[in-house]
Amino acid sequence: MSDATLHDATRNPDDFAVQISDSIESFIVAVTEVAKGDEPDSAVPFLLLEVSQLLLTGGRLGAHEDIVPDERYEPDVGPEPDVDELRERFARLLDPVDVYSEVFDPYVPRSAPVACRISDDLADIITDLRHGLAHYRAGRVSEALWWWQFSYLSNWGPTASAALRALQSLVAHVRLDQPLDELDGLDTDSDAADGDEEQLAEEAGKVMAAEIAGPLGLRGV
């Protein structure tokens, strides 16, 4: 399926596959634009909105009956696009609030929190979504839907949910005028746990104020 066909106005907008693909493509385009850093002041609120909308799409996939692809074995979609540059851009854009703490599985008793990065999450999500989009653009609609559903349940769904929680927490800290008090030890690199907690918290507060409080007309931390 060519790009011209993909954006053909004659496509039925009520079709489930069309709605899912449109939402996923919109997310990829929007988040890639945010990563350019042209509007850093609105990055966190914008990402909060985009990830929230993506999870609605994921919820529709998760609630749908099991999707069975037409072919027994997944066709090759070619090499995966490199997302390292995207990951690095987000890491710079979100520093020093990129790292957060998350419980991997809330149903595993006494699960220990693990350190994650929003930049890694976004890059991983886009990798999964692009893989399915490659099938969709090649005309393999059932394969695309199967992949998006499977990877939503196994990878990008939990990843997006964790990232959303972190983004929502950042916005909440600003709106509730609650500075980040404990960032020390949350780095995914073990050697970074010896940093200056007070300085790191102060820097995080400044970043949050610049990115969120100003554009939303809120009080800074």
Side-chain angles (χ1 to χ4, degrees):
M1 182 180 294
S2 65
D3 286 343
T5 303
L6 185 64
H7 297 284
D8 192 338
T10 62
R11 293 183 308 151
N12 183 359
D14 295 326
D15 184 79
F16 179 75
V18 171
Q19 293 176 355
I20 296 297
S21 64
D22 282 351
S23 175
I24 285 174
E25 187 171 24
S26 175
F27 174 83
I28 293 174
V29 171
V31 172
T32 302
E33 284 297 312
V34 175
K36 292 180 180 179
D38 295 336
E39 298 182 17
D41 291 348
S42 58
V44 170
F46 198 85
L47 288 173
L48 175 67
L49 177 62
E50 290 299 323
V51 176
S52 297
Q53 292 176 332
L54 177 66
L55 280 170
L56 174 59
T57 298
R60 295 185 65 192
L61 287 164
H64 198 282
E65 63 183 5
D66 288 348
I67 299 169
V68 180
D70 294 332
E71 301 181 40
R72 182 177 180 182
Y73 299 103
E74 182 184 7
D76 184 16
V77 295
E80 298 285 355
D82 187 11
V83 294
D84 284 345
E85 182 179 356
L86 185 73
R87 189 191 316 272
E88 292 169 1
R89 285 183 176 182
F90 272 122
R92 291 192 297 269
L93 187 63
L94 296 171
D95 182 64
V97 294
D98 189 22
V99 180
Y100 66 97
S101 180
E102 175 66 11
V103 175
F104 181 72
D105 189 336
Y107 282 100
V108 174
R110 296 178 295 278
S111 294
V114 295
C116 304
R117 291 182 182 273
I118 300 175
S119 55
D120 289 342
D121 293 344
L122 294 171
D124 292 346
I125 292 166
I126 287 180
T127 297
D128 277 346
L129 299 181
R130 281 177 175 172
H131 186 90
L133 196 58
H135 284 305
Y136 187 81
R137 286 174 169 167
R140 297 185 290 269
V141 176
S142 64
E143 188 73 43
L145 290 174
W146 171 84
W147 171 259
W148 284 327
Q149 184 186 60
F150 168 76
S151 56
Y152 164 74
L153 296 172
S154 63
N155 189 44
W156 72 260
T159 301
S161 297
L164 179 66
R165 176 75 177 112
L167 292 165
Q168 187 274 339
S169 180
L170 286 174
V171 174
H173 273 287
V174 170
R175 298 201 63 148
L176 299 176
D177 198 17
Q178 297 176 345
L180 292 177
D181 295 326
E182 298 181 3
L183 290 182
D184 184 39
L186 285 185
D187 203 325
T188 52
D189 299 322
S190 58
D191 293 340
D194 298 325
D196 187 333
E197 177 180 342
E198 183 177 350
Q199 180 181 359
L200 191 57
E202 181 180 354
E203 291 176 356
K206 291 179 180 178
V207 171
M208 289 169 61
E211 291 187 346
I212 309 173
L216 295 185
L218 304 174
R219 291 180 298 167
V221 263

